[in-house]
Amino acid sequence: MNNTYNSRLILLMVFIVALTACEEETIGDTVFGKLEGRVVANNQNIPLENVKITTNPSSTTVFTDAEGNFVINEISAGDYSVQADKDDFQTSFEPASILGEKTTNIVFELDSVEAANLSPLRPELLFPMDESKNVESPVEFVWSSARNDADDILYELELRNGTTGEIQRFENLKDTVLTVEELTVGANFFWQIKATDGISEDVQSNLGSFQLKGVEDNRFLFVRNVNGNNVIVSGGEPAGANNSEINQNEVQLTSSSINSYRPKANFTVNKIAFLATQEGDAQLFMMDLNGGNKIQLTKNIPVAGFKQSELEFTWSQNSNVLYYPNFNKLYSVQIDGSGTTLIYEAPAGEFISEVAANPTNNLIAIKTNDTNGYNVKIQLVNPANGTLVSTIVEGTTGAFGGLDYSIDGTKLLYTQDVSGAENSQYRQLDSRIFEYNTVSDSTVEIDTDKPTGFNNLDAKYAPNEGAIIYTYTSNDGISEKQIYRKILDAVEDDDQELIFTNASMPNWE
């Protein structure tokens, strides 16, 4: 019996020892090691501070010190992927095997984002071509470039006026085409394109140069519709056999973002006066013959009447002031914008729409009408004393316009819709050109062989008065407008010619 008891006791002790050994093997203490390292900039061995160090599997997150060093003191034994992150540097990974009670060392060499980036291709200037001449305004700049990687490219165009030294910069351009308006006519320019992806160093094109068309020989001014606004254009004489080459040396003088019209040049002071819409009002402006140095002459008392597009002003006899209408009042303003003065006042309800002066005498021709543009009077007034001198047209139905004075002050040019139509749209049906002689007190029509259904508008004398220039268009109000010249007292039948297309409101000085 004792032997049986002893055998059972021995078996129990063996079982307990075995069980204890098994428990120590499965739930014993975790083994830890230590991870140390250093982070430097690649190819420079410069320590990088404040680099974020993380591991996968996850452990403690730490940051490098000023010497680029980091340490994770207690990290479980095993295999890890260690990650280093810092702004403006590429993320880097290093493997690490952690052993119990051992120190593992690793080193990171981080590449900067810029170092790994590919710069954009060098821009190539396509237009205007280098050293090109007679470039038309506005100028459409065109260049080519491309990216070498996934980074987006922005461009900067630098444009320098070779005469004045003025520099214009157009930044953050996404396209490789840019149109620039109102550059100094006839001037030399230099231009260059800079491309950047915001990471690598900027890449610059070669330097290009070009010269804009000049207006030295241009005698014509007119208006053309561009992008819904009127712009003022300078133009030259037709060229080629039988003057068949029209629209010569056209140079745009005003921006297509502003509605500008009714240009009138004055070669005594070498200036162009014109109207432009500002905050809903028609205001008088002045600029150089090449479109430069634009200044506003009127402000508080604008050019006003029944319809802005029908309003006209005129230079004074001695070219020192401009006369312009404001409803039933006629004002003068100095060519520097000062000295606005009331000159004449028509009866209430009679709007002054057009004004014409001549260089010989002091008289001014005015056209008045009612609020609808009709009940027209064409009269002569003396601006020196503000008195009415004579009445040329009165009591005739229909629309009138295109008022212009001859050089010697004896003849007056105007247009008249002989149909006598009067409607709310102010549509003219048969407008023709007439000339009134103040000496003989007689009026004659200037025959242009105009077919039925068309209008002659805005008639003006040539500088030598041997011809007239006028706008020719269909009376439908939407067809193209063209500018013609007619030779007066011509012997041959071929006495008129087309000069400009898509053009109106001519001025010839």
Side-chain angles (χ1 to χ4, degrees), residues 334-347:
Q334 301 287 331
I335 60 174
D336 62 359
S338 65
T340 301
T341 305
L342 178 63
I343 298 299
Y344 173 77
E345 185 170 356

Side-chain angles (χ1 to χ4, degrees), residues 108-164:
F108 288 94
E109 294 180 325
L110 300 189
D111 288 313
S112 68
V113 174
E114 180 176 344
N117 185 73
L118 296 176
S119 299
L121 295 178
R122 186 176 188 178
E124 296 290 334
L125 306 184
L126 301 180
F127 185 85
M129 296 180 62
D130 190 30
E131 298 184 356
S132 55
K133 306 292 184 182
N134 294 321
V135 175
E136 294 186 359
S137 179
V139 181
E140 183 179 64
F141 293 91
V142 183
W143 62 93
S144 67
S145 184
R147 58 189 183 185
N148 279 324
D149 51 27
D151 299 322
D152 292 330
I153 302 175
L154 293 178
Y155 302 99
E156 176 184 304
L157 186 153
E158 182 175 285
L159 183 63
R160 178 165 61 88
N161 187 317
T163 303
T164 65

Side-chain angles (χ1 to χ4, degrees), residues 227-243:
N227 298 329
N229 278 328
N230 290 316
V231 299
I232 295 173
V233 181
S234 172
E237 285 281 352
N242 300 318
N243 290 343

Side-chain angles (χ1 to χ4, degrees), residues 220-224 230-234 253-254 260-266 271-276 284-285 287 311-313 315 460 483 504-509:
F220 300 102
L221 292 171
F222 58 89
V223 165
R224 175 170 290 153
N230 290 316
V231 299
I232 295 173
V233 181
S234 172
L253 302 182
T254 59
S260 304
Y261 54 104
R262 297 291 178 194
K264 292 183 183 293
N266 188 309
K271 294 288 184 179
I272 299 172
F274 63 99
L275 297 179
L284 258 175
F285 283 76
M287 61 183 172
L311 300 177
E312 288 209 42
F313 61 91
W315 288 90
K460 304 296 176 187
I483 294 178
S504 64
M505 302 184 187
N507 177 244
W508 187 8
E509 296 296 335

Side-chain angles (χ1 to χ4, degrees), residues 123 143 153-158 192-196 202-205:
W143 62 93
I153 302 175
L154 293 178
Y155 302 99
E156 176 184 304
L157 186 153
E158 182 175 285
Q192 191 171 39
I193 295 294
K194 179 170 65 178
T196 180
D202 298 341
V203 180
Q204 290 186 325
S205 70

